[in-house]
Amino acid sequence: MRRMIGFILFWMGIGMLVMLLLASRLLGLLLVALFLILGYNLFCS
């Protein structure tokens, strides 16, 4: 369980770094929505 939480926190940090580097707010929101849907489908199916 600790490894999975660490993995999740690591990728959340990478995502925050990417959002800092993106200039477009709309593109960032679209990426967030895409990754949430993709992650839900991969985790729950």
Side-chain angles (χ1 to χ4, degrees):
M1 189 68 172
R2 273 185 33 186
R3 292 185 69 193
M4 186 168 65
I5 292 172
F7 186 73
I8 291 167
L9 289 174
F10 173 78
W11 284 108
M12 281 176 61
I14 295 294
M16 287 182 202
L17 181 64
V18 168
M19 289 299 290
L20 279 174
L21 297 176
L22 282 178
S24 170
R25 192 173 190 113
L26 178 64
L27 179 62
L29 288 174
L30 289 174
L31 278 175
V32 166
L34 174 72
F35 289 150
L36 281 173
I37 292 169
L38 184 64
Y40 178 78
N41 285 332
L42 288 173
F43 186 74
C44 295
S45 62

